[in-house]
Amino acid sequence: MDFTQLPSILTPDPGLLFWMLLAFLVVFWVLAKYGFPAIINMVDERNKYIDESLRKAHEAQERLANIEKEGESILQEAREKQAQILKEAAHTRDAIVEKAQEKARAEGARLMEEAKTAIEQEKKAAIADIRAQVAALSVDIAEKVLRTNLKDDKSQMDLIDRMLDEVSAK
């Protein structure tokens, strides 16, 4: 293949090739001196920023896990305290109910005793009243009987003898 026959766009001139190479080297040297360190610094800073962000995210995730564990433990502790408070409240309620029942029983027994005493006193008073009435009636009847039976001396003497015989027979 003959390269002399090719168009000039495909076959660069050696002088053009030199200047292009020189321009490339100058641009490469400027980039190597000023551009690449800046780019490398930016990439390193970005890498550090990403690493720092990942570390912070990991720490935040760990803190969140710790907070969740603490929350669960606090919630469990609150549940235990709630159960204990409910148990104590039930115990206190039962004790109060028992005291109230005992007090009611004692009050009922006292009222029953007072009622029995009052009934007994009323019964004794009624019996005493009946006895007094019976005694008064008996005296009235005896007085009337004696008046009719003891109208004369002979009947009085007969009654006295009869009573003396009854007393001495006992």
Side-chain angles (χ1 to χ4, degrees):
M1 179 168 227
D2 186 19
F3 290 112
T4 58
Q5 301 282 341
L6 292 173
S8 67
I9 194 157
L10 293 178
T11 58
D13 197 20
L16 178 65
L17 200 60
F18 171 75
W19 289 113
M20 284 177 48
L21 180 64
L22 183 67
F24 175 76
L25 289 175
V26 169
V27 169
F28 183 77
W29 181 79
V30 169
L31 283 175
K33 181 83 173 167
Y34 300 108
F36 290 147
I39 292 171
I40 289 173
N41 283 339
M42 286 175 36
V43 169
D44 285 343
E45 286 178 17
R46 181 72 177 158
N47 191 19
K48 288 177 185 176
Y49 176 75
I50 289 172
D51 288 342
E52 184 69 21
S53 295
L54 286 173
R55 186 185 60 77
K56 287 181 180 179
H58 183 66
E59 287 176 3
Q61 188 175 13
E62 287 177 357
R63 277 192 233 136
L64 181 61
N66 288 339
I67 289 172
E68 285 178 357
K69 288 178 184 177
E70 288 176 16
E72 281 296 321
S73 66
I74 290 171
L75 187 61
Q76 182 64 27
E77 185 178 320
R79 286 182 184 141
E80 290 172 1
K81 283 184 180 180
Q82 179 187 18
Q84 181 181 4
I85 289 170
L86 288 174
K87 185 178 178 181
E88 288 175 3
H91 180 69
T92 303
R93 181 199 67 215
D94 292 343
I96 289 171
V97 167
E98 183 65 31
K99 284 181 183 178
Q101 287 176 344
E102 188 63 35
K103 201 173 194 181
R105 284 186 201 111
E107 184 67 19
R110 185 185 64 80
L111 290 175
M112 287 294 287
E113 193 61 37
E114 287 178 3
K116 285 179 183 177
T117 304
I119 290 171
E120 189 65 32
Q121 288 175 352
E122 288 179 20
K123 180 180 170 185
K124 287 180 181 178
I127 290 174
D129 187 40
I130 290 173
R131 284 186 181 166
Q133 289 178 3
V134 167
L137 286 175
S138 297
V139 168
D140 286 343
I141 291 172
E143 183 182 338
K144 287 181 184 175
V145 167
L146 286 177
R147 278 189 192 160
T148 57
N149 286 340
L150 299 177
K151 288 183 184 176
D152 55 5
D153 285 338
K154 182 179 185 310
S155 57
Q156 288 179 4
M157 288 307 281
D158 288 338
L159 180 63
I160 290 174
D161 289 337
R162 204 173 351 131
M163 289 200 166
L164 285 176
D165 289 341
E166 285 179 11
V167 170
S168 59
K170 287 186 182 181

